[in-house]
Amino acid sequence: MYLNSGHSVTLKDVATRAGVSHQTVARVVNNAGKVAAETRVKVEKAIAELNYVPNRLAQQLAGKKILSIGFASIDISLHTISAIMAGIKDQAQQHGYSLAVSVMDGTDHQSCVRAVNELVEQRVDGIIINSLATHMSTEEFKQLNLSIPCVFLDADPNLNASQINHDQSQGAYLAAKHLLDLGHRDIAIINGPDQIRVCELRLHGWRQALTEANIEPTMVLNGAWDAQSGYDCASRLLSQGNSLSAILVGNDQMSLGVLRAISDRGLQVPHDISVVGFDNQDDCAFYHPPLTTITQDSGELGRQSVRLLLNQISEPSLDQHQKLANSIVVRGSTKALGEENGNKQLIESLMRQLNLALQR
Amino acid sequence: MYLNSGHSVTLKDVATRAGVSHQTVARVVNNAGKVAAETRVKVEKAIAELNYVPNRLAQQLAGKKILSIGFASIDISLHTISAIMAGIKDQAQQHGYSLAVSVMDGTDHQSCVRAVNELVEQRVDGIIINSLATHMSTEEFKQLNLSIPCVFLDADPNLNASQINHDQSQGAYLAAKHLLDLGHRDIAIINGPDQIRVCELRLHGWRQALTEANIEPTMVLNGAWDAQSGYDCASRLLSQGNSLSAILVGNDQMSLGVLRAISDRGLQVPHDISVVGFDNQDDCAFYHPPLTTITQDSGELGRQSVRLLLNQISEPSLDQHQKLANSIVVRGSTKALGEENGNKQLIESLMRQLNLALQR
DNA sequence: CAAGCGGGACCTCTCTTGAAG
DNA sequence: ACTTCAAGAGAGGTCCCGCTT
């Protein structure tokens, strides 16, 4: 069933079949140098017959310049990360680079090293690193001993290397400010897991806004990024009888769970409680109600990181730090405290529904 | 900043530094053969000092058996596909294979060939192909001229090659059957884009169930997989004053839009209209209401495909077809037609909410 | 001195063979 | 007859240089 069982067809195989030298075949394949039309046809025929595909390993080893970059990351099935990767892929391709991906099995420093090494083994021209290794210090970074250019995503800002990230703090600040501007004062926080850099930065932004307004968050909880944990945290919050009017949530998935928990208690968002998410992921405009959230363009982050890396490749001594600003998308999950207009609408809507139900 | 600017550190560099032959260094690196403890230390020191990482290209070219498989796919930022990929990655690793990924830029046959070729150039041991190339015929497949083992995901069942897929038809049948069992007869369908194999198969399954019950779908629309298009289709459906009691939807994302559209019209799911989705994606248990849907284990599909490929690699002549069955997950978005129990609950819930609102 | 082709060194490893201690 | 190492031949390409007409 398969031709060439064992080893693959080589340049030389094609050459002997076409009755020319291996060099002539190379000229045809690479479209370089002068080849007689007649010879070219012969060679192309042989290539087709043998189904020859050049061996990239050999090409690269022999010194042909093949541009490639690597992406070392944690779990790429996470939505945000696969969006970043799509951006990287896109921009790399645009610049004629191919992309090699290596995923880390764990969040520890060791598996980060493993993934990066896998890329170095392939001799990529540069690496984009998306590690979760909490607080990788400059020291640990040096242990990586990178001899090729690299760019970090969401790294410790103090890390002495090229890096790019969304400005988590600023985004969180925006979210909190929005609630404050609407008059909310009893605000709870449902953050992601502790010890994660992104979470700490977001918490910092939220706190800053609240402190400026001279208030303390009612409560700070930690979820696990998923809807279920958002549901659990919110349920806990509500069952404790806190008087809260708004919740800041660490991502949209947890927000979905939060919305449900509130609704399960017979309360209404935003009339009883306002909710602000984080990420602006695909579907959150269709949540019930549509979610007010912070928007992060993950694809753009990926694209920018490639540009940064390419700079670094052509100018290795240059360390750049770049931050992407976030903005807030206001939808239906937040409203001004004490605004009665909404309540009137709510009552009307409820009566309409009740009417319908009674007719059945 | 970077050591060895230009070309990377080689085995020979390490050898000269350590004052031994390149072969001795190889012994240390590969942990094979006998090396005197003293020599080993010397070599290891040199490796650390020079920061040597073996060149995988050269290793592979020189005949060292490095196991690797490839995954050629369309847009890997799609949720389902990244889940499949995670499964592939996992299972490949389990068997000591590394994974190379190549994504296609388009849905045409040409970009499929490109992506596959990229993998062949790297001399992977086998390829898993997830093309959307609508109805790739056996003829076109032969044009790929694959000289290495491969497995197709979601391919044309008539394709004469190893393949694996979820049984779309069966899953869709289940969904429709569920509605029929609940007494629904006026059923609309919102499918994915036309001409896509998966969509046709699902449509086939839905139709079959309906036909067996001697009824025709009220209406069949095509969305574009995303929530917005689900919203649009459902809006169209509702504004036309069709008397429908249930909607079958091609995926969960569109279902989310459908739920919104229904609620925006002041109607209630499931009391006025039942909705069944497809995919059982992460968050749909938290939709409003929780979605009844068909569950597909994408990770399992990925893992199985690797096993199939590995079989194929060790036994090239063997073509296998495999189908993964789906099951239905019943949640809150469906209810029996005419069942009044739910209505009573609904009325109670509405009155509670109204009460709350009036107190404000 | 063009255009068209071939020879051979080299890239970095692995693997085999064989010679020292 | 061990252990320990070195030398050399590929693996499949690319590139530089030279050779014919």
Side-chain angles (χ1 to χ4, degrees), chain A residues 1-4 8-9 48 51 53-58 60-61 75-77 79 82-83 85-86 89 93 98-99 101 103 105 114 117-118 120-123 145-150 227-228 231 253 256-257 260 263 266-268 271-272 281-283 285-290 312 316 319 340 343 346-347 350-351 353-354 356-358 360, chain B residues 1-4 8-9 48 51 53-58 60-61 75-77 79 82-83 85-86 89 93 98-99 101 103 105 114 117-118 120-123 145-150 227-228 231 253 256-257 260 263 266-268 271-272 281-283 285-290 312 316 319 340 343 346-347 350-351 353-354 356-358 360:
Chain A
M1 162 142 195
Y2 300 110
L3 308 168
N4 66 300
S8 50
V9 183
N51 190 27
V53 178
N55 185 330
R56 185 128 75 94
L57 309 169
Q60 215 162 331
L61 187 60
D75 189 1
I76 51 174
S77 70
H79 191 269
S82 65
M85 183 160 69
K89 175 83 193 173
Q93 202 161 326
S98 72
L99 177 68
V101 179
V103 342
D105 356 280
R114 243 207 59 269
N117 244 48
E118 198 177 297
V120 174
E121 283 178 3
Q122 293 180 55
R123 297 298 187 267
N145 231 332
L146 288 178
S147 47
I148 59 172
C150 61
Q228 182 66 51
Y231 183 89
Q253 275 186 71
L256 181 61
R260 246 231 98 63
S263 136
L267 298 173
Q268 287 267 346
H271 301 94
D272 300 304
Q281 71 176 35
D282 267 358
D283 295 335
F286 289 88
Y287 288 176
H288 185 83
Q312 181 97 177
D319 273 2
E340 283 313 316
N343 200 32
L346 172 62
I347 292 172
L350 286 171
M351 292 195 56
Q353 286 178 40
L354 198 54
L356 261 156
L358 287 170
R360 264 187 293 249
Chain B
M1 161 142 196
Y2 299 111
L3 308 167
N4 67 303
S8 49
V9 184
N51 189 28
V53 178
N55 186 329
R56 185 129 74 94
L57 309 169
Q60 215 161 333
L61 185 61
D75 188 2
I76 51 172
S77 71
H79 190 270
S82 63
M85 184 160 67
K89 174 83 194 173
Q93 202 163 324
S98 73
L99 177 68
V101 179
V103 342
D105 355 281
R114 243 207 58 268
N117 244 48
E118 197 177 298
V120 175
E121 283 177 5
Q122 293 179 56
R123 297 297 188 267
N145 231 333
L146 289 177
S147 47
I148 59 173
C150 60
Q228 182 66 53
Y231 183 88
Q253 277 186 69
L256 182 60
R260 249 231 98 59
S263 136
L267 299 173
Q268 288 265 348
H271 301 94
D272 299 304
Q281 71 176 36
D282 269 358
D283 296 334
F286 289 88
Y287 288 176
H288 185 85
Q312 182 96 174
D319 275 0
E340 284 312 315
N343 201 31
L346 173 62
I347 291 172
L350 286 171
M351 292 196 56
Q353 287 177 39
L354 199 53
L356 262 157
L358 287 171
R360 265 186 294 249

Side-chain angles (χ1 to χ4, degrees), chain A residues 174-189:
Chain A
L174 242 46
K177 198 69 176 35
H178 171 63
L179 289 179
L180 293 168
D181 288 348
L182 291 175
H184 292 276
R185 320 225 87 220
D186 299 315
I187 301 174
I189 290 176

Side-chain angles (χ1 to χ4, degrees), chain B residues 303-314:
Chain B
R303 283 187 289 275
Q304 282 285 0
S305 68
V306 172
R307 286 181 216 125
L308 224 58
L309 184 61
L310 264 34
N311 282 349
Q312 182 96 174
I313 288 174
S314 55

Side-chain angles (χ1 to χ4, degrees), chain B residues 4-110:
Chain B
N4 67 303
S5 47
H7 71 113
S8 49
V9 184
T10 77
L11 209 59
K12 204 164 287 179
D13 294 335
V14 177
T16 46
R17 174 140 196 154
V20 298
S21 85
H22 69 122
Q23 172 56 313
T24 304
V25 179
R27 283 196 198 90
V28 173
V29 172
N30 296 326
N31 240 330
K34 302 281 184 180
V35 181
E38 198 187 343
T39 323
R40 157 164 281 125
V41 172
K42 265 199 306 189
V43 172
E44 274 166 353
K45 185 152 159 279
I47 288 177
E49 282 170 4
L50 293 175
N51 189 28
Y52 169 72
V53 178
N55 186 329
R56 185 129 74 94
L57 309 169
Q59 288 182 313
Q60 215 161 333
L61 185 61
K64 184 176 194 175
K65 200 57 205 149
I66 292 176
L67 304 174
S68 70
I69 61 175
F71 180 46
S73 171
I74 51 167
D75 188 2
I76 51 172
S77 71
L78 293 176
H79 190 270
T80 319
I81 295 183
S82 63
I84 293 175
M85 184 160 67
I88 292 177
K89 174 83 194 173
D90 171 78
Q91 193 65 202
Q93 202 163 324
Q94 206 115 129
H95 285 87
Y97 280 75
S98 73
L99 177 68
V101 179
S102 168
V103 342
M104 316 175 186
D105 355 281
T107 60
D108 57 316
H109 187 248
Q110 204 47 45

